[in-house]
Amino acid sequence: MTISRQTQDVLKYFDLEPEGPFVVTSPVDGHAMAGLRFHTQEETAKMIAQADAAFRQWRQIPAPRRAELVRLLGEELRKDKEMLARLVTLECGKIISEGRGEVQEMIDICDFAVGLSRQLYGLTIASERPGHHMRETWHPLGVVAIISAFNFPVAVWAWNVTLALVCGNSVIWKPSEKTPLTALACGKILARALVRFGDAPDGLHHVLIGDAKIGEALVENPKTALVSATGSTPMGRKVGVRVATRFGKSLLELGGNAAMILAPSADLELALRAITFSALGTSGQRCTTLRRLIIHEDIYGDFLPRLKKIFASVKIGNPLEDGILMGPLIDETALDHMQKALTQAKAEGGVVTGGGPVEAVAGGAYAAPAIVEMKQQSNIVRSETFAPILYVMPYRDFEQAIAMNNDVPQGLSSCIFTLDVREAEQFLSDIGSDCGIANVNIGSSGAEIGGAFGGEKETGGGRESGSDAWKAYMRRQTNTVNWSRELPLAQGVEFEV
């Protein structure tokens, strides 16, 4: 196996020497990065048992003390930011500035979780019974399983593991088979933080390498209290059903099909920049990628040529090089899906500009971004293709634009560009966007960790990261305390013996 020098340097930095029959290849140039061995069913069961035992000790440690481990993880990530970013780029193909941004997101969520450790608030509730009080308390949940996708190979883990640990849980992480090396590197980084922390129980965190069968074993084990799964909608359907069958908890972050409404009053220069990043960031392989552009017919004819010119000028190539804005798709299969989607779009009446394969770097699956003019939202527009394809459609009145925004199975992210306050407020109202994320004068992609991240409909309904997303990692308990000498019953019920 021939491994590039830059890959060798990064693996050596993280003290990784994996060996095995499963070859991890870089989407940048198709070269082998390492060989790995998948964990067995027996090893998976052992990890879950160890994690369950660790949870029973970890939950007894006060939350602010648990947060010290997360604080130390943030320090270690700061030390390794550049090298981990390079590994992210080598393994998933996003440009290096996005790789750095992803690691910064990990650092940010560490800071968020540390502060959160002193804010795991319950409620005090007025009781209808004299001499009683009620309260709501939150307790650690158990073993948290994280199943992550290739496009954000480390940030999704960080969103989950930081909150899970602060909330008193243990963690098992199954990364995508396409990006396991970043997971092993993060395991090494957390291991250093654990050594500095000092008194954490053994088995608090595991990295599980395997295919879908190993993922199934993780999902179906009754000791796995929460399964947080990020990926496609078909994957989420399988996970959700299997977890529900055993009455476990699931947190699902699935497909997206983000739209932007471009109103006549919009700042078009701002919109052009937002569209470019939202549609082309990570080569169109984000769940929040802008896939549908709904333009008012009065500005459609003038705006579209400007957008096509920008898309045609985007630099495509090695994502480690400065000035490159689009790297490769994750693999040839993704490129093939893109080409099939464009063929279907043409069959459904679309006019395609761009989108063909590009010989940017030998061995990589590179493609030019595509703009597809559609008269209406056809079947292909309503589906999610993980690629840099932007469907562009006109609208006449604002209610029609909102209806188009909502007329897809997915409900993750959405945005509007307008200087009309009435349009902006209607878009954010209960008769506006039906997505979990709705933005005004900012693109659909690039969420901050302070807000809960997630969506509705086929996106799964889960929420990760900020706000009160921590509640997904804990169990709620309602307490009633009688401090009187009487025993009045609720609702005035009388029951004397």
Side-chain angles (χ1 to χ4, degrees):
M1 183 187 303
T2 302
I3 300 175
S4 69
R5 183 64 188 178
Q6 57 187 353
T7 298
Q8 292 180 37
D9 290 344
V10 175
L11 296 183
K12 183 178 180 181
Y13 178 87
F14 288 109
D15 194 25
L16 292 176
E17 297 180 354
E19 292 183 0
F22 178 76
V23 178
V24 182
T25 60
S26 172
V28 176
D29 54 14
H31 285 170
M33 296 183 70
L36 288 177
R37 182 185 68 84
F38 285 174
H39 287 107
T40 65
Q41 297 279 347
E42 292 74 18
E43 289 170 325
T44 302
K46 184 177 179 180
M47 282 185 188
I48 296 171
Q50 290 174 339
D52 183 59
F55 155 70
R56 298 179 188 282
Q57 298 179 54
W58 186 245
R59 65 181 174 179
Q60 299 179 59
I61 298 174
R65 171 60 183 159
R66 296 194 297 251
E68 174 63 9
L69 173 58
V70 176
R71 188 190 70 80
L72 293 171
L73 173 60
E75 285 189 356
E76 296 296 333
L77 287 169
R78 284 177 170 88
K79 295 177 187 176
D80 290 346
K81 179 177 178 179
E82 182 61 25
M83 294 303 285
L84 185 56
R86 294 185 72 82
L87 183 54
V88 166
T89 292
L90 285 167
E91 196 172 33
C92 87
K94 63 177 58 177
I95 62 174
I96 187 63
S97 67
E98 288 190 82
R100 294 182 183 120
E102 182 167 351
V103 181
Q104 184 59 49
E105 194 168 352
M106 301 172 76
I107 295 167
D108 292 344
I109 194 63
C110 286
D111 292 345
F112 180 91
V114 170
L116 178 68
S117 69
R118 298 179 186 271
Q119 302 175 71
L120 302 176
Y121 298 141
L123 300 172
T124 57
I125 306 167
S127 174
E128 68 185 59
R129 290 169 283 189
H132 289 59
H133 75 250
M134 298 176 65
R135 66 189 181 200
E136 178 184 272
T137 53
W138 294 85
H139 302 287
L141 190 60
V143 179
V144 172
I146 303 169
I147 300 175
S148 60
F150 76 85
N151 58 330
F152 279 86
V154 292
V156 169
W157 169 73
W159 291 355
N160 283 274
V161 75
T162 54
L163 299 190
L165 290 173
V166 163
C167 289
N169 306 299
S170 57
V171 173
I172 299 177
W173 177 21
K174 184 203 170 299
S176 167
E177 303 97 295
K178 298 177 182 179
T179 52
L181 298 177
T182 46
L184 294 173
C186 288
K188 293 279 189 176
I189 294 170
L190 180 56
R192 295 203 307 264
L194 283 163
V195 170
R196 293 176 63 191
F197 182 81
D199 60 350
D202 292 337
L204 186 62
H205 180 267
H206 295 272
V207 177
L208 177 64
I209 304 298
D211 55 13
K213 291 183 179 179
I214 291 298
E216 290 171 4
L218 188 62
V219 165
E220 293 176 352
N221 194 301
K223 290 184 179 179
T224 305
L226 171 67
V227 177
S228 177
T230 302
S232 69
T233 297
M235 179 276 289
R237 283 197 177 96
K238 294 178 182 178
V239 170
V241 168
R242 291 182 175 182
V243 175
T245 299
R246 60 176 178 84
F247 299 104
K249 294 181 66 176
S250 61
L251 195 168
L252 302 176
E253 296 286 359
L254 309 175
N257 196 346
M260 176 190 291
I261 297 173
L262 192 59
S265 66
D267 181 332
L268 297 184
E269 296 301 323
L270 201 64
L272 279 169
R273 293 168 56 195
I275 292 166
T276 303
F277 174 71
S278 294
L280 307 185
T282 320
S283 299
Q285 299 172 117
R286 293 184 176 212
C287 52
T288 55
T289 289
L290 182 64
R291 308 200 183 280
R292 298 176 294 137
L293 180 59
I294 304 166
I295 310 177
H296 194 276
E297 60 184 21
D298 288 351
I299 59 175
Y300 187 97
D302 292 333
F303 185 81
L304 190 55
R306 298 177 63 191
L307 184 62
K308 288 181 178 180
K309 184 177 181 180
I310 289 177
F311 269 45
S313 69
V314 168
K315 293 182 178 180
I316 303 168
N318 188 326
L320 287 166
E321 295 179 2
D322 293 337
I324 295 297
L325 294 181
M326 275 184 58
L329 295 174
I330 188 64
D331 53 28
E332 289 291 339
T333 299
L335 180 59
D336 183 55
H337 286 165
M338 178 180 179
Q339 301 309 308
K340 288 180 178 178
L342 293 175
T343 298
Q344 184 177 341
K346 291 177 183 178
E348 294 176 0
V351 177
V352 177
T353 301
V358 174
E359 296 296 330
V361 179
Y366 293 81
I371 291 177
V372 184
E373 300 166 65
M374 303 291 293
K375 293 181 179 179
Q376 59 187 1
Q377 294 196 135
S378 63
N379 290 333
I380 191 61
V381 178
R382 290 189 177 93
S383 63
E384 180 189 39
T385 303
F386 233 45
I389 301 174
L390 181 64
Y391 299 102
V392 182
M393 296 157 289
Y395 78 93
R396 179 181 296 274
D397 61 72
F398 192 58
E399 283 66 28
Q400 178 193 10
I402 290 180
M404 292 172 68
N405 177 86
N406 296 344
D407 187 25
V408 293
Q410 310 85 359
L412 178 54
S413 188
S414 59
C415 59
I416 183 172
F417 270 72
T418 182
L419 298 181
D420 185 330
V421 68
R422 291 169 297 183
E423 289 182 335
E425 290 297 335
Q426 182 176 341
F427 183 74
L428 301 178
S429 75
D430 54 4
I431 60 171
S433 171
D434 65 359
C435 296
I437 298 169
N439 298 332
V440 176
N441 294 329
I442 189 171
S444 62
S445 190
E448 298 181 30
I449 58 91
F453 181 89
E456 303 301 323
K457 301 189 291 188
E458 288 191 0
T459 301
R463 293 296 186 275
E464 293 174 321
S465 194
S467 185
D468 66 347
W470 61 270
K471 292 181 178 179
Y473 303 87
M474 304 196 82
R475 60 179 177 87
R476 186 198 311 249
Q477 188 177 84
T478 300
N479 313 132
T480 304
V481 177
N482 178 6
W483 51 270
S484 74
R485 297 181 182 275
E486 305 297 329
L487 192 63
L489 300 179
Q491 294 86 45
V493 173
E494 294 184 3
F495 194 87
E496 296 294 337
V497 293

